Amino acid sequence: MAVVSWKEICLLTGLVVGCYWNSLFCGFVFDDVSAILDNKDLRPTTPLKNLFLNDFWGTPMSEERSHKSYRPLTVLTFRLNYLFSELSSSSYHLLNVVLHAVVCVLFLHFCRLLLDRSTSLIAALLFAVHPIHTEAVTGVVGRAELLSSIFLLAAFLAYTKSKGADHSIVWTPIISTVFLVAVATLCKEQGITVIGICCIYEVFVAQGFTLPMLIDTLLQVLRGKDGFPYAVLQTLLKLIVLIISTLLLVIVRVQVIQSQLPVFTRFDNPAAVSSTPTRQLTFNYLLPVNAWLLLNPSELCCDWTMGTIPLVESLLDPRNLATVVFYAMLSLLAYHSLWYGHSSSKIVMMALSLIVLPFIPASNLLFPVGFVVAERVLYVPSMGFCVLVAHGFKLLSQRGGLKKTSWLLMGVLLTTHAVKTFNRNWDWESEYMLFTSALKVNRNNAKLWNNVGHALENQNSYERALRYFLQATRVQPDDIGAHMNVGRTYKNLNKSREAEDAYLIAKSLMPQIIPGKKYATRVAPNHLNVYINLANLIRANDSRLEEADQLYRQAISMRPDFKQAYISRGELLLKMNKPSEAKDAYLRALELDHTNADLWYNLAIVNIEMKDPSEALRNFNRALDLNPRHKLALFNSALLMQESGVPENSLILKA
């Protein structure tokens, strides 16, 4: 294996910086908002242990609304960013660019195991500039892919050193491999798939087996004609260690998510809730869609959910032809790599393992995931794609009259990809730019219309936002969230009647109670806010307070752990002069979240209404223990002390 030179490292690093330097001017957009801006796990005041108890978005793994994405080491790097620069987005983007450069160098090391010096460099250069990576590199949440890829490649490179000069097993690299796999998995779940890549490398590359040879060896052993050769026994032992390690990691992973898959709505992944054969036809069609994005990354989109890709509902759908062609090509490549023992087949074998295995967890074929297509999950599979392209380029350039033409084509490909990547980065500068660029690719996704509306709403441009929200309801009439957005915007425009009508439409789309029938249904937690929003709107009218209370109680009946419903109901009950019931509502909310300073403050206000100043003072102090700068608690506590004649020394210390 040729050693990677400093010149090659500098070339790759320079190319990455050239393609991605403008990403440093981008802000936090899309999923970054939830993972960075709204994630309390990044704050120094949050205990470090919370990173290992919560999911990627800061939600406790035990809660149903958790996405079950357990990536504590990735969140730890976000926390380090916050420690140095708080919420300055440029530092987060800079670290992503650095990590991408590291992945490119490690990938070059990987390619050197299979390809010659120039071909491996071509593969690494193509990987460095491929536009499909903009979501993983320029989107801050894509760091999960970057970190996982670093440890995935490091684990594989460590494993390649597990064979001694006398063909004995060297255990230190294997132990390192298992450790690095575990670390990769703590960065993102797909890191565990490198175990499969190591197994394929061991059998078909290191040991040089072809599928016919492997079958013949197994048959001879089963017939008792011969025992396993020593080299084969060594291989089996290594594979057993890898497989057992994988099983242990899977068991731990299942325990972490408490044996529950996350809850996704049909808007996130319409095919997941479709019947046979629509579900199977659609999920299989998504494979050639992803392959086409690698081949032709000209139209990239940040969100492929909802109606972006219409369901494949019939065998007569012409899109099934793309599925057939994809499987035919995959089968031909697999046949070439499994049946022949020359170097080309080994290259194809390893390329296919990189394409297929890391993609399987995101393919929807084994279990549903929360998206239809996500460009950032193609980060590792694109490595295998780049190996295939570079290998094809080498074969083409070796043909006499095609050498200059092939080099010219490769130069054009690298240049156009680099320019596309650089320009695509600007789309991530702001949410408005990102989602409007997505609408140029796809106008059938209501989520995109909603997100442009949200971006305009954040700029207080409510009239323009309303137009986008209304278009979302036209694109997807049964989208509860879109109607809720319309209602909220009408409220911001002081159009209460129109707001109520929009909320009522959203409420009518919620699962309805069927008299005389019992059934269970799963409701997206954010959709339950329609009851809160509607109740908050109508309780402005004193004659409709009971109606508002009924809505709060309905939300609680649908989800007994709905904290906000208890809080809002407590405020209403206080307004209705029912302090005892308001106290019960706040106590129930505190059972769900006892670290909320506002809740202790609200409870103290109820205590004052119930003529219990000593209990009120205790609850004000609890609020101040949690948030020493809680202005309302400070003011009311001081006022209460003054009225009751209690010394204010303790309060002064808190202030």
Side-chain angles (χ1 to χ4, degrees):
M1 179 183 72
V3 178
V4 175
S5 68
W6 279 106
K7 288 183 179 179
E8 291 169 323
I9 293 174
C10 291
L11 175 62
L12 281 173
T13 303
L15 191 58
V16 168
V17 172
C19 286
Y20 286 100
W21 69 265
N22 58 336
S23 70
L24 303 184
F25 302 101
C26 297
F28 295 117
V29 297
F30 203 18
D31 290 340
D32 297 347
V33 175
S34 299
I36 309 296
L37 298 182
D38 299 338
N39 192 346
K40 293 181 180 178
D41 287 349
L42 272 64
R43 299 345 185 230
T45 53
T46 303
L48 271 174
K49 67 176 184 179
N50 283 26
L51 273 64
F52 297 89
L53 299 175
N54 298 342
D55 67 13
F56 187 55
W57 315 98
T59 305
M61 294 292 290
S62 57
E63 293 189 12
E64 184 185 0
R65 64 192 177 96
S66 169
H67 279 215
K68 310 300 181 184
S69 47
Y70 189 66
R71 305 163 191 172
L73 295 187
T74 302
V75 180
L76 180 61
T77 67
F78 293 153
R79 185 161 173 146
L80 291 173
N81 270 122
Y82 189 91
L83 181 65
F84 285 105
S85 63
E86 294 193 350
L87 294 176
S88 172
S89 60
S90 58
S91 75
Y92 295 78
H93 289 295
L94 176 61
L95 184 52
N96 271 27
V97 173
V98 171
L99 292 174
H100 181 52
V102 173
V103 175
C104 292
V105 172
L106 287 173
F107 178 57
L108 180 58
H109 278 281
F110 172 90
C111 292
R112 285 284 153 84
L113 295 169
L114 307 169
L115 306 167
D116 59 43
R117 179 176 287 275
S118 61
T119 310
S120 59
L121 183 59
I122 288 292
L125 291 173
L126 181 58
F127 178 79
V129 304
H130 202 296
I132 202 70
H133 300 153
T134 51
E135 183 172 340
V137 181
T138 310
V140 177
V141 295
R143 187 176 300 175
E145 267 73 25
L146 303 175
L147 287 170
S148 179
S149 299
I150 287 174
F151 292 109
L152 180 150
L153 289 169
F156 177 81
L157 292 171
Y159 182 79
T160 60
K161 299 175 182 178
S162 63
K163 182 178 178 181
D166 56 351
H167 300 286
S168 61
I169 299 177
V170 183
W171 287 105
T172 301
I174 293 180
I175 294 171
S176 299
T177 297
V178 173
F179 172 76
L180 290 167
V181 171
V183 174
T185 307
L186 290 175
C187 295
K188 190 174 182 184
E189 298 78 3
Q190 69 180 27
I192 200 171
T193 59
V194 71
I195 293 287
I197 298 171
C198 290
C199 291
I200 289 173
Y201 172 82
E202 178 66 33
V203 174
F204 295 102
V205 178
Q207 299 302 326
F209 278 103
T210 62
L211 188 60
M213 289 170 58
L214 191 61
I215 294 172
D216 185 59
T217 302
L218 291 173
L219 287 175
Q220 287 187 20
V221 172
L222 291 173
R223 291 170 183 166
K225 292 184 177 180
D226 196 4
F228 282 114
Y230 177 73
V232 175
L233 287 173
Q234 295 282 78
T235 299
L236 278 175
L237 182 57
K238 291 164 76 173
L239 295 181
I240 289 170
V241 170
L242 291 178
I243 292 169
I244 291 175
S245 302
T246 305
L247 291 175
L248 289 174
L249 288 173
V250 169
I251 290 170
V252 171
R253 171 69 181 159
V254 170
Q255 292 298 316
V256 166
I257 67 172
Q258 301 182 4
S259 305
Q260 291 181 341
L261 288 175
V263 179
F264 299 116
T265 69
R266 63 187 180 86
F267 300 114
D268 298 317
N269 192 340
V273 295
S274 300
S275 58
T276 302
T278 299
R279 182 171 64 255
Q280 290 79 8
L281 291 175
T282 303
F283 284 157
N284 280 279
Y285 171 67
L286 294 179
L287 301 179
V289 169
N290 281 280
W292 182 248
L293 286 174
L294 289 173
L295 281 167
N296 180 33
S298 59
E299 293 188 340
L300 300 178
C301 182
C302 63
D303 192 291
W304 295 79
T305 55
M306 302 187 86
T308 305
I309 300 176
L311 297 173
V312 182
E313 300 179 311
S314 167
L315 289 169
L316 299 178
D317 192 312
R319 289 176 293 172
N320 289 318
L321 182 60
T323 307
V324 172
V325 171
F326 171 81
Y327 276 112
M329 293 296 296
L330 190 65
S331 299
L332 284 173
L333 289 172
Y335 175 81
H336 172 80
S337 60
L338 288 170
W339 255 259
Y340 300 101
H342 47 69
S343 60
S344 178
S345 65
K346 295 177 181 179
I347 294 169
V348 174
M349 169 64 70
M350 292 307 299
L352 287 179
S353 68
L354 266 178
I355 293 172
V356 174
L357 294 180
F359 184 73
I360 285 177
S363 67
N364 282 290
L365 296 177
L366 298 182
F367 48 83
V369 294
F371 52 84
V372 180
V373 173
E375 291 163 16
R376 62 175 174 258
V377 304
L378 292 174
Y379 190 76
V380 176
S382 69
M383 295 179 189
F385 172 78
C386 291
V387 170
L388 281 180
V389 172
H391 182 52
F393 159 78
K394 176 189 174 183
L395 296 177
L396 192 63
S397 64
Q398 287 176 341
R399 302 197 175 197
L402 296 177
K403 184 174 182 178
K404 290 184 178 180
T405 303
S406 61
W407 276 101
L408 177 63
L409 290 174
M410 181 54 67
V412 170
L413 181 64
L414 291 172
T415 303
T416 54
H417 273 20
V419 172
K420 171 67 177 177
T421 296
F422 183 83
N423 290 332
R424 173 63 172 160
N425 289 334
W426 289 121
D427 291 339
W428 294 80
E429 184 177 7
S430 68
E431 292 209 321
Y432 179 76
M433 292 184 65
L434 180 64
F435 297 128
T436 50
S437 71
L439 282 176
K440 294 175 184 177
V441 176
N442 168 48
R443 302 179 71 82
N444 296 319
N445 185 337
K447 189 175 178 182
L448 294 176
W449 292 99
N450 280 319
N451 285 336
V452 175
H454 287 309
L456 291 169
E457 190 178 34
N458 291 335
Q459 300 171 14
N460 296 324
S461 182
Y462 297 120
E463 291 285 358
R464 291 177 63 199
L466 181 60
R467 290 198 291 271
Y468 281 91
F469 290 142
L470 287 171
Q471 180 61 25
T473 64
R474 287 189 281 269
V475 170
Q476 189 85 39
D478 58 350
D479 181 9
I480 297 171
H483 291 287
M484 290 169 63
N485 292 334
V486 171
R488 186 182 61 256
T489 309
Y490 273 130
K491 183 182 178 183
N492 289 329
L493 292 169
N494 296 316
K495 297 182 178 181
S496 299
R497 182 68 260 173
E498 292 86 345
E500 183 175 343
D501 290 340
Y503 285 139
L504 287 171
I505 293 173
K507 181 174 174 288
S508 70
L509 294 170
M510 295 288 288
Q512 302 297 309
I513 296 174
I514 303 174
K517 288 190 176 182
K518 290 184 178 181
Y519 65 99
T521 185
R522 305 184 87 173
V523 179
N526 62 312
H527 287 170
L528 285 174
N529 284 322
V530 67
Y531 295 99
I532 306 298
N533 294 349
L534 181 56
N536 290 346
L537 179 69
I538 66 176
R539 80 183 197 186
N541 185 340
D542 289 344
S543 65
R544 303 180 69 182
L545 298 183
E546 289 290 347
E547 187 180 345
D549 188 37
Q550 185 179 0
L551 287 166
Y552 291 136
R553 284 188 278 114
Q554 189 172 354
I556 291 169
S557 69
M558 296 181 73
R559 192 178 186 88
D561 63 347
F562 194 6
K563 180 182 67 178
Q564 188 56 48
Y566 291 106
I567 296 172
S568 298
R569 185 166 186 251
E571 294 169 355
L572 177 67
L573 289 168
L574 203 55
K575 184 177 181 180
M576 295 170 71
N577 198 26
K578 297 180 179 180
S580 179
E581 293 182 44
K583 179 181 177 181
D584 291 339
Y586 285 132
L587 288 173
R588 181 69 182 97
L590 282 166
E591 289 177 13
L592 299 169
D593 184 8
H594 65 278
T595 61
N596 189 319
D598 291 332
L599 276 174
W600 288 109
Y601 168 79
N602 290 349
L603 185 59
I605 297 297
V606 173
N607 295 141
I608 291 174
E609 292 291 325
M610 297 179 71
K611 313 298 183 185
D612 190 354
S614 59
E615 185 65 22
L617 190 57
R618 277 195 290 270
N619 289 327
F620 279 136
N621 286 332
R622 285 172 179 149
L624 290 168
D625 285 338
L626 293 167
N627 181 7
R629 296 183 180 276
H630 197 293
K631 293 181 180 179
L632 288 173
L634 282 167
F635 175 78
N636 284 280
S637 183
L639 192 63
L640 186 60
M641 286 180 175
Q642 187 177 32
E643 290 176 352
S644 59
V646 177
E648 298 185 27
N649 295 341
S650 60
L651 181 66
I652 293 170
L653 289 173
K654 287 179 182 296

